[in-house]
Amino acid sequence: MPDIKVAIHTEFIELNQLLKLAGVVDSGGAGKALVAAGGIRVNNKEELRKTAKIRPGQRVQAGDVRIRVVAAGSVASAPAGRQGA
């Protein structure tokens, strides 16, 4: 099961856009269709809202792909040499 970490620069990202950014689908529209079809889980609960707000710390599962959302400014996702710049 692939694990993908996605860093966001905003307070939240819409679920359909997260699926696109993570490479699970090719477009936001395809993300909406995937969510509508069912099988998307957020923090281990089924999610049917296409534009649900996903925040850092939340985990999304789409089929056998797991996505972990982190804040872009967190130390774990900051590029080496750029922390505290």
Side-chain angles (χ1 to χ4, degrees):
M1 184 177 294
D3 288 287
I4 301 170
K5 181 170 70 171
V6 174
I8 62 172
H9 297 274
T10 56
E11 179 184 346
F12 66 86
I13 185 170
E14 292 180 349
L15 178 56
N16 63 310
Q17 294 299 319
L18 174 65
L19 294 171
K20 176 183 169 186
L21 186 63
V24 175
V25 296
D26 292 328
S27 69
K32 287 181 179 182
L34 183 61
V35 174
I40 302 295
R41 300 183 72 76
V42 176
N43 291 342
N44 220 17
K45 294 182 181 177
E46 185 176 31
E47 181 60 74
L48 296 172
R49 296 173 296 157
K50 301 169 187 94
T51 58
K53 294 177 180 176
I54 307 299
R55 292 178 167 79
Q58 289 189 292
R59 295 175 184 269
V60 175
Q61 186 169 339
D64 62 349
V65 177
R66 292 185 298 202
I67 305 165
R68 183 168 54 107
V69 179
V70 298
S74 69
V75 174
S77 64
R82 303 278 304 172
Q83 297 171 1

